[in-house]
């Protein structure tokens, strides 16, 4: 039951993002993804400034890490042949047992707002 509930919430999250930001790219197929995880890329946005704009309000992490020596893309994204420009804008969103439908809707709202703000600020 919990797997099905989480899958439903994950698909609600995806549908909300895809509707508000149609250029959003989903990594992986619904049927083969973890039920509580959604990996998406926002073209034209770097994940680090996006996560900074979100603060600690959402359970999210970047698909690439920036270090003094450069940027390293997730080995998972590399194995999936995700182009670097998409990998740099990838965030992984996680859902859990306490996640409710209203929280997913709020997450969509905050993500859309943060993506638009990040683009407007020119931190892409």
């Amino acid at each position: 039951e919990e797997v099905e509930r989480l899958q439903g919430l994950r698909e609600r999250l995806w549908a909300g993002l895809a509707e508000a930001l149609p250029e959003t790219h989903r990594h992986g197929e619904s049927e083969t993804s973890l039920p509580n995880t959604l990996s998406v890329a926002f073209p034209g946005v770097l994940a680090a400034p996006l996560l900074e704009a979100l603060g600690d309000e959402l359970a999210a992490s970047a698909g690439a890490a920036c270090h003094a020596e450069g940027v390293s893309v997730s080995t998972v994204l590399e194995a999936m042949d995700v182009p670097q420009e998409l990998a740099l804008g990838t965030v992984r969103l996680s859902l859990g047992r306490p996640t409710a439908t209203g929280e997913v809707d709020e997450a969509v709202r905050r993500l859309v707002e943060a993506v638009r703000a990040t683009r407007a600020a020119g931190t892409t």
Side-chain angles (χ1 to χ4, degrees), residues 3-120:
V3 166
E4 288 178 13
R5 188 186 78 82
L6 288 170
Q7 286 172 332
L9 290 174
R10 181 196 64 208
E11 293 310 307
R12 183 181 186 98
L13 179 59
W14 167 243
L17 292 173
E19 180 179 332
L21 301 167
E23 69 281 5
T24 303
H25 178 82
R26 180 178 187 161
H27 302 299
E29 297 297 323
S30 172
E31 303 79 30
T32 57
S33 297
L34 291 172
N36 69 322
T37 306
L38 179 66
S39 178
V40 292
F42 301 100
V45 173
L46 294 174
L50 176 60
L51 292 175
E52 188 175 317
L54 289 169
D56 60 0
E57 298 179 28
L58 297 177
S61 62
C66 297
H67 306 286
E69 4 5 285
V71 176
S72 76
V73 173
S74 156
T75 55
V76 173
L77 294 177
E78 284 181 343
M80 293 171 63
D81 291 324
V82 173
Q84 185 170 6
E85 61 274 7
L86 279 181
L88 295 176
T90 293
V91 294
R92 189 177 59 249
L93 305 161
S94 300
L95 305 160
R97 282 190 184 270
T99 306
T101 302
E103 291 171 309
V104 169
D105 296 341
E106 180 64 13
V108 168
R109 186 190 69 73
R110 290 182 185 198
L111 274 161
V112 169
E113 186 177 277
V115 167
R116 291 178 177 157
T118 301
R119 285 182 177 147

